[in-house]
Amino acid sequence: MGKQGRKRLVSYALFLAALFQCRFLAFAILDPLDFLALQLIRKSMNDLPGSSFFASWDFTSDPCNFTGVYCESDKVIALNLGDPRAGFPGLTGRLDTAIGKLSALTEFSLVPGRVFGSLPMSISQLQNLRVLAITRNFISGNIPASVGRLRRLKTLDLSYNRLTGKIPRSVGTLPELTNVLLCHNNLSGSVPPFLSQALTRLDLKRNALTGSLPNSFSPSLQFLSLSWNQLTGPVDSVLSRLDQLSFLDLSFNRFTGPIPDRVFSFPLTNLHLQRNSFYGPVQPGDQVKISTVDLSHNMLSGRISPMFSTVQNLYLNHNRFTGQVPDSLVDRLLSASLQTLYLQHNFLTGIGINPTAEIPQSTSLCIQYNCMVPPVQTPCPLKFETQKTRPTSLCNEWKG
């Protein structure tokens, strides 16, 4: 080899050494505690068949280049475990307590999979955490009360797991919460007061919660779902303050008392109050602009307000409404502006619709089992009463 060739070889060797040294230094700057925590987390979890999330987790290279790991300086600041694309199998195993050693972590998420076991108490050590999202897995046990130490937490999403016990009151004291999703678990006890003035989304549906609602929800709430629980008591004083709501679902509970008329003026797209024990008249002060209103299966009474004619899907069935169906509802139905009108199982005495009128195929009308003979034959929900008209004796007992 000539002199020039040897020089080129030496230069190339020096280049490789410098490159290796840079890679080594980049690898070495990660905080040792963070490095160890990532190793323990990896050992406690695996890819489900069909998943390759952990393929890049080779600890002979820089962990800050691992899929789902995000670093700043020498610390891990975000950890997103599992492939977030819909339909991917996710991960299995347990969540190691080492998660609490990632002291700079601001975001931790775990995509749907088959991770089981309890929520590590050590999560409460993550004082910088803003997002905690572990959803659609098999996490069981209680929500640790120590989660209330995460004073910077903005999003708490533990939905679709197997959590039991009460929602700790300490969680409700977190001052910066904007999103709380604890739906589809087995949580019991009462709904704690949520004191955050920034809270916009609260979803507690499909649990076993009991008791009445706290009168401390922030007016900033835009989404409130408490359906499929065992909640009781009146809601008028609670709802009257929540005039920013765009979605409200209190269905399948045991709420009582009147429905505040003011709720119909909120900027709602969906209002679901069905399957409760609400009673009294319902008289909105202005035209209702809510797309879907479901007040079915309650004990509401009085006459049906013509203000509901601007609703697209209206469910007033299985109540105690009386009198004539407003002509404005019939007109909107025949023009297909009102798509669903369920009035069955009330005490209505008339509806101004011509027996020869053609009901648009895109609409659905059901008026069976009232104190009148239906002037038109319309399809009703399956498994409905075979009787088209309520017995006269029952109609005479109930006159509004």
Side-chain angles (χ1 to χ4, degrees):
M1 181 182 294
K3 187 175 182 180
Q4 291 298 324
R6 285 195 296 272
K7 285 184 177 181
R8 290 194 187 95
L9 184 61
V10 170
S11 298
Y12 184 63
L14 291 172
F15 168 76
L16 288 178
L19 181 63
F20 176 80
Q21 185 177 18
C22 287
R23 288 190 65 186
F24 177 77
L25 288 173
F27 168 72
I29 61 171
L30 184 64
D31 183 277
L33 284 178
D34 285 26
F35 182 83
L36 178 60
L38 290 177
Q39 281 189 316
L40 293 173
I41 291 169
R42 172 63 186 92
K43 288 180 180 178
S44 68
M45 305 175 74
N46 289 294
D47 284 297
L48 283 168
S51 174
S52 57
F53 173 77
F54 281 126
S56 68
W57 283 48
D58 177 3
F59 285 92
T60 62
S61 61
D62 183 0
C64 292
N65 291 328
F66 292 178
T67 302
V69 178
Y70 303 89
C71 301
E72 187 174 283
S73 185
D74 65 337
K75 304 292 288 183
V76 176
I77 60 168
L79 182 60
N80 306 129
L81 295 178
D83 195 318
R85 290 175 292 182
F88 273 64
L91 309 176
T92 187
R94 293 177 178 268
L95 186 56
D96 197 276
T97 57
I99 185 72
K101 300 298 183 183
L102 299 174
S103 58
L105 205 63
T106 62
E107 177 181 327
F108 175 62
S109 67
L110 176 63
V111 303
R114 301 186 69 85
V115 176
F116 53 90
S118 59
L119 201 64
M121 297 280 288
S122 60
I123 282 181
S124 63
Q125 300 171 17
L126 304 175
Q127 296 298 303
N128 295 307
L129 201 63
R130 290 174 171 80
V131 176
L132 175 58
I134 304 174
T135 182
R136 294 182 185 271
N137 277 278
F138 294 85
I139 303 298
S140 59
N142 296 346
I143 300 174
S146 56
V147 170
R149 299 175 190 168
L150 304 176
R151 308 305 288 176
R152 296 185 179 182
L153 197 65
K154 295 181 180 294
T155 294
L156 175 63
D157 185 355
L158 303 176
S159 59
Y160 293 87
N161 280 290
R162 296 180 175 179
L163 295 167
T164 55
K166 297 181 178 181
I167 302 173
R169 293 182 68 88
S170 59
V171 171
T173 68
L174 294 174
E176 298 184 23
L177 278 179
T178 57
N179 300 284
V180 178
L181 295 90
L182 302 176
C183 56
H184 289 263
N185 280 287
N186 297 305
L187 298 169
S188 57
S190 59
V191 178
F194 285 90
L195 306 182
S196 171
Q197 295 302 299
L199 190 63
T200 59
R201 185 181 184 95
L202 179 61
D203 192 345
L204 306 179
K205 65 175 175 285
R206 295 276 182 174
N207 280 289
L209 300 172
T210 56
S212 57
L213 296 184
N215 200 14
S216 58
F217 291 137
S218 169
S220 62
L221 261 182
Q222 298 175 17
F223 182 106
L224 177 60
S225 181
L226 304 173
S227 62
W228 291 93
N229 280 286
Q230 301 165 31
L231 297 166
T232 57
V235 299
D236 49 340
S237 62
V238 177
L239 292 184
S240 294
R241 302 170 55 251
L242 305 180
D243 58 1
Q244 300 302 308
L245 283 173
S246 60
F247 182 94
L248 175 61
D249 189 352
L250 304 182
S251 61
F252 291 88
N253 278 286
R254 301 172 185 172
F255 290 120
T256 58
I259 297 174
D261 293 337
R262 189 163 181 259
V263 74
F264 297 104
S265 65
F266 293 172
L268 292 162
T269 57
N270 291 270
L271 174 61
H272 296 280
L273 302 179
Q274 69 269 27
R275 303 278 180 173
N276 280 285
S277 296
F278 292 118
Y279 58 79
V282 182
Q283 295 296 325
D286 205 345
Q287 290 292 334
V288 179
K289 299 178 181 179
I290 307 169
S291 176
T292 296
V293 174
D294 193 341
L295 309 180
S296 63
H297 293 270
N298 280 288
M299 296 184 290
L300 302 170
S301 58
R303 294 180 176 269
I304 296 174
S305 172
M307 297 301 176
F308 285 119
S309 61
T310 43
V311 175
Q312 292 182 13
N313 301 285
L314 181 61
Y315 303 89
L316 301 178
N317 50 291
H318 291 79
N319 277 288
R320 299 174 180 177
F321 289 112
T322 57
Q324 183 90 2
V325 178
D327 290 339
S328 56
L329 268 71
V330 176
D331 293 341
R332 297 275 295 181
L333 182 79
L334 295 178
S335 68
S337 298
L338 179 56
Q339 297 173 1
T340 306
L341 181 58
Y342 279 7
L343 302 174
Q344 69 269 24
H345 215 288
N346 279 286
F347 292 83
L348 300 169
T349 53
I351 181 169
I353 185 170
N354 194 311
T356 62
E358 292 188 9
I359 308 296
Q361 291 185 351
S362 60
T363 65
S364 180
L365 170 67
C366 185
I367 52 176
Q368 308 284 64
Y369 208 69
N370 277 284
C371 296
M372 62 177 171
V373 176
V376 291
Q377 296 297 323
T378 56
C380 286
L382 297 176
K383 298 182 180 180
F384 187 68
E385 295 88 347
T386 56
Q387 292 178 283
K388 295 181 179 180
T389 304
R390 187 184 287 274
T392 303
S393 59
L394 294 178
C395 290
N396 290 334
E397 291 176 8
W398 185 267
K399 293 183 179 179

